[in-house]
Amino acid sequence: MSDLPKCPECSSEYTYEDGNMIVCPECAHEWAKDAVIEESDSNVFKDANGNILTDGDTISVIKDLKVKGSSLVVKVGTKVKNIRLVDGDHDIDCKIDGIGAMKLKSQFVKKV
């Protein structure tokens, strides 16, 4: 049985080695063997500048973000206190004053 990891993109178990890379034949995703060790340690969430985020941090939005399903916009520089990190496509659960509960992607925020 192969001890290769599943594909991080599509979770396929049919990955194979190609030199120093691991390849998924189903979605064509390639990644370095060394990257597998770093990813498997634990879920580490980083902001747009590469700072590590933790539960309870205060963040600032770095880009205008349209709120899906409404005409509201989260403006650049909006500060969000007491974030909660979750697994999924959007890694941050928070409450924004004037808007309410939101889910944000960590790539659009910076740690304050």
Side-chain angles (χ1 to χ4, degrees):
M1 193 79 193
S2 175
D3 60 342
L4 293 174
K6 291 184 178 182
C7 176
E9 295 292 314
C10 70
S11 300
S12 171
E13 56 188 39
Y14 302 112
T15 57
Y16 63 91
E17 291 183 58
D18 185 21
N20 288 337
M21 303 291 283
I22 298 176
V23 181
C24 174
E26 293 186 10
C27 69
H29 179 67
E30 297 181 6
W31 66 98
K33 288 181 191 177
D34 300 338
V36 173
I37 296 168
E38 294 172 10
E39 290 176 5
S40 64
D41 288 344
S42 68
N43 289 340
V44 176
F45 299 100
K46 295 185 179 183
D47 69 359
N49 296 330
N51 299 319
I52 296 175
L53 297 172
T54 58
D55 285 341
D57 281 346
T58 300
I59 58 172
S60 177
V61 177
I62 63 167
K63 177 182 175 182
D64 282 347
L65 301 172
K66 295 179 182 178
V67 179
K68 202 171 195 177
S70 75
S71 61
L72 298 173
V73 175
V74 179
K75 297 286 187 177
V76 170
T78 301
K79 289 190 179 177
V80 182
K81 297 178 184 177
N82 200 19
I83 64 170
R84 188 177 56 162
L85 300 172
V86 295
D87 288 330
D89 186 33
H90 293 73
D91 346 59
I92 301 171
D93 274 347
C94 60
K95 281 189 180 178
I96 300 176
D97 293 335
I99 296 177
M102 292 282 300
K103 291 188 175 195
L104 300 173
K105 291 186 177 185
S106 58
Q107 66 192 24
F108 298 119
V109 301
K110 68 178 181 179
K111 192 172 183 177
V112 176

